[in-house]
Amino acid sequence: MDRSNSLDSGHRACQGCGEALGARFAIDAAMRATNNQLIAANATGCLEVFTTPYPETAWSVPWIHSLFGNAAAVGAGIAAALRAKGREDVRVIAQGGDGGTTDIGFGCLSGMFDRNDDVLYICYNNEAYMNTGVQRSSATPGAARTATTMPVGKDPGNVFNTGKSVPLIAMAHLVPYVATASVHDLHDLEHKVTKAMGIHGARYIELFVPCPLGWGSKPSDTVKIARLAVECGLYPLIEAEHGELAGVTKIRRQTPVEEYLKLQRRFAHVLKPANVHQLEQLQAIADRNIKKFSLIEEQGGQE
Amino acid sequence: MKTPFAITLDAGSSLLNKTGSWRTERPVYLDRLPPCNHACPAGENIQQWLYLTEEGRYEQAWRQIMDDNPFPAVMGRVCYHPCEVSCNRGQLDEPVGINAVERFLGDQALINEWHMEAGAPTGKQVMVVGAGPGGLAAAYHLRRMGHEVTVYDASPQAGGMVRYGIPKYRMPREKLRAEVARIEQMGADLQLNTRIDDVIAARDEGKFDAVFLSIGAQLPKRVDIKINGELPVLDAVTVLRNTELEEPTGLRGQVVVYGGGNTAMDVARSAVRLGAKSATVVVFEAREHMPAHEFEVKEACEEGVELICLRAIREVNGNEVTLEKMVPSEGRWPQPTGQFDTITADVVVQALGQNVHTDLVETISGIKIAEGAVQVGIDMQTGSPGIFAGGDMIPSERTVTTSIGHGKKAARNIDAYLRGIPYDAAEKHELITFDMLNTWYYSDAPRTVRPMLSVMRRQSGFAEIVGNIDQDNATFEARRCMSCGNCFECDNCYGVCPDNAVTKLGPGMRFEFKYDYCKGCGLCVSECPCGAIKMTPEEI
């Protein structure tokens, strides 16, 4: 198999970076799907910083960085320019981290969805602002330790029942395609990106990309952690078309959330007896996801 | 070059940035020893031939077996498959049905008449005493190495205990005959009906350069049972041999077999087939400590064989056999209780194991015999130079497969001896255990069940009871192999590297790391399904 290696060696991502892995797969899949006729707009963030320390670049795809919050708008603008020039063959991706997507770039993203601009927006979700030193974002889960949600007090780490789910918000815009994917299932990730590139209009894919530095995990555990997040139910893999849920990836080997949490220092306090209520809260979230998205295969009456 | 506004440096590729310098540990590809290969007494490269089978390359797979074992069709029937017991897949769902696949390949070879070639002649001659699995395996390997081989055996047919000990319903004779014939076609000279009584004289007369002894253990062990009356007390070796020769076996009426091993099961099951009224096995040990393999006991019981465990036969009065109840003890053996009961019998067969006929070797100076077995060095050589021994006559597990392994090992050492060079066995790879695998990547797949003959038909004749699996099933079963410790080019390392630091070399060529860029994160090691990569510290 030839792959374009759109994100090539020599980039400065940390060892075991989930985002670097996810981005290479996503952009390579998009390149294949578009016959290499692709332009990428990038928000500020790790992905931008580690790939393009001036004057070097790890990208072998036409690539533009403008601001932290405007990747969706830049992508929409490129798509408009291509339409004006009659270039139907060239497609556009806008991409950024969860900070640049769920917080800072949220207005631009919502506008892009609203206008149904012909852009695939990919959010690499590592659940905090890693580039600037691990600050909380609106994608940070409850109880997680960040620089701004320290594990102190009665309810250490990030506050529960805050933040937002951008995939569900994207669905509420009734855009043609929304999906979540994870770096533990790269075939599924490729499949979803390829499918998205076969559709016109505003599309949104969120990739779950563990961050060894920010999460306090072993670089060699990146894929394992992503797998456990999905298998425990905390990160459901879904697809939606025009606002309707169109598919879910069933859990194959269900695990308690503890298995996922214990590999990450950002959740170390959750596993202490004093904070068992946090563990229960996280398990409840997983259980709710499993029920809400029917993540467990019905047994069909056998045994 | 004119640079655009605000850009003062020419753009360069990140490839200039050699991130390999970050690394403190480096991943390296390696082959580890799969547990099946490790457990195989014949030293087969099972993982490799399953891989070839999976690809539909049956002849190559068969030839891979033949590198180590000339009897795939026999093995696929009578081997107790320690490979399956140790198979890592057993810890995931069920072991791979290795034995069934081996039988499929062995039968394919017979159907398609695949042959092996002898090696270029060396001019050396080797005498083999005993045409059992050990002697024939040695003859086969020696022929492949180009040595002339003559095999002597006192029996009218080749096969040793495979023929005269293992009943037909487990080992159809035409398969054995065909696999022996293949060795003969390679130029091995089989001298049957020829008993060797004086090894040294025969060697000198035939101008042999080396000798391999593999005469087995054919002397029945007996315990003294006090007999009042005329009740016949037979031994299993003779009974099974007579069954094979189609001579009267003496198995009739109520047959009582004494012993808890596979041989006891063979006798009892043969008795059922020969029309005995009943077949009862009196077992000294508790049911769970019987030396017989579980499947043998299960199949015997299905066929109507009755087990009486924790009993010792003490005496026989007429048709009445007195049994003493035993109790399990802390020690190795159960202890007597002084309580007795009786059963009736028309014949008693002792199946309590066998000893080695040491007469043949006792006269040879230098050969050491201890605890009834011939002692050999790690090179399989006895104390008499140029005389090697293997199989049941040396201390061993006493299985067909072990003997075949001895034959191979002896052949290699005899070859080295004849060439006057020391034999260097290749160093074994590190064993791979279940915890070194990442089983997420293997699809869930239950084991293929082999068809079995109906109990009715099993009770009424010696037809083979375990059926074949077909080509689709063989391929499916081979695909269940997890290829422990040996790369099968799944592309995971190539896929999961965040630094694009793995080069794919193409089919059959595996992969290579780009150490200029590998940061040493170890993701490839974690996500390698089969444990074929490991991290090693960098020298700093």
Side-chain angles (χ1 to χ4, degrees), chain B residues 429-446:
Chain B
H429 291 142
E430 167 196 4
L431 183 65
I432 181 152
T433 49
F434 186 73
D435 57 302
M436 293 161 142
L437 305 173
N438 186 338
T439 60
W440 172 260
Y441 294 101
Y442 300 105
S443 21
D444 303 319

Side-chain angles (χ1 to χ4, degrees), chain A residues 9 13 15 24 57 220 252, chain B residues 12 14 440 442 497 500 519 526:
Chain A
S9 309
Q15 291 174 319
R24 194 192 72 224
T57 181
S220 55
R252 183 172 159 218
Chain B
S14 62
W440 172 260
Y442 300 105
C497 179
N500 189 27
K519 292 168 186 165
S526 302

Side-chain angles (χ1 to χ4, degrees), chain A residues 3 5 8-13 15-17 21 24-25 54-58 219-220 223-224 227 231 252-253, chain B residues 8-12 14 17 19 22 438-442 494-500 517 519 521 523 526-527:
Chain A
R3 69 179 185 205
N5 294 318
D8 212 343
S9 309
H11 63 69
R12 289 148 200 241
Q15 291 174 319
C17 174
L21 172 59
R24 194 192 72 224
F25 258 84
Y54 177 70
E56 281 172 21
T57 181
S220 55
V223 172
K224 183 179 184 185
R227 179 159 56 232
E231 292 293 292
R252 183 172 159 218
R253 299 180 185 169
Chain B
T8 51
L9 295 170
D10 288 344
S14 62
N17 186 32
T19 51
W22 302 13
N438 186 338
T439 60
W440 172 260
Y441 294 101
Y442 300 105
Y494 177 69
V496 299
C497 179
D499 294 292
N500 189 27
Y517 299 106
K519 292 168 186 165
C521 68
L523 260 182
S526 302
E527 300 308 317

Side-chain angles (χ1 to χ4, degrees), chain B residues 49-50 53-54 58 65 72-73 76-77 84 95-109 111 175 446-453 464-481:
Chain B
W49 61 252
L50 285 174
T53 307
E54 178 185 330
Y58 303 132
I65 301 177
R77 292 177 165 82
E84 294 186 20
V96 176
I98 298 169
N99 191 245
V101 180
E102 183 164 33
R103 168 164 160 178
F104 168 79
L105 293 171
D107 288 357
Q108 284 294 305
I111 292 164
K175 306 287 182 189
R447 178 184 168 103
T448 309
V449 178
R450 293 205 247 193
M452 293 280 281
L453 206 60
E464 184 168 25
I465 64 170
V466 180
N468 284 315
I469 56 170
D470 62 19
Q471 187 168 315
D472 288 346
N473 285 337
T475 312
F476 174 82
E477 209 45 41
R479 284 210 178 112
R480 293 183 65 239
C481 171

Side-chain angles (χ1 to χ4, degrees), chain B residues 367-416:
Chain B
I367 293 192
K368 197 174 148 213
I369 298 163
E371 290 173 22
V374 170
Q375 304 297 302
V376 295
I378 52 161
D379 61 353
M380 311 293 286
Q381 194 164 196
T382 64
S384 176
I387 299 183
F388 298 75
D392 289 357
M393 69 185 293
I394 69 168
S396 75
E397 290 269 315
R398 291 195 176 171
T399 69
V400 177
T401 322
T402 306
S403 295
I404 287 171
H406 287 173
K408 175 176 91 168
K409 196 173 167 194
R412 289 178 177 178
N413 281 292
I414 290 169
D415 181 61

Side-chain angles (χ1 to χ4, degrees), chain A residues 75-143:
Chain A
I78 296 167
L82 290 167
R83 195 174 63 242
K85 294 182 80 174
R87 292 295 300 270
E88 287 179 4
D89 55 328
V90 184
R91 306 296 301 278
V92 183
I93 279 181
Q95 55 183 356
D98 51 294
T101 304
T102 70
D103 298 346
I104 302 178
F106 190 64
C108 291
L109 182 67
S110 180
M112 185 197 106
F113 289 155
D114 167 43
R115 296 183 303 271
N116 200 25
D117 290 316
D118 190 15
V119 176
L120 167 62
Y121 193 100
I122 301 176
C123 170
Y124 301 97
N125 181 7
N126 54 23
E127 302 189 329
Y129 288 84
M130 300 313 184
N131 179 41
T132 48
V134 199
Q135 291 86 8
R136 178 198 177 275
S137 79
S138 57
T140 302

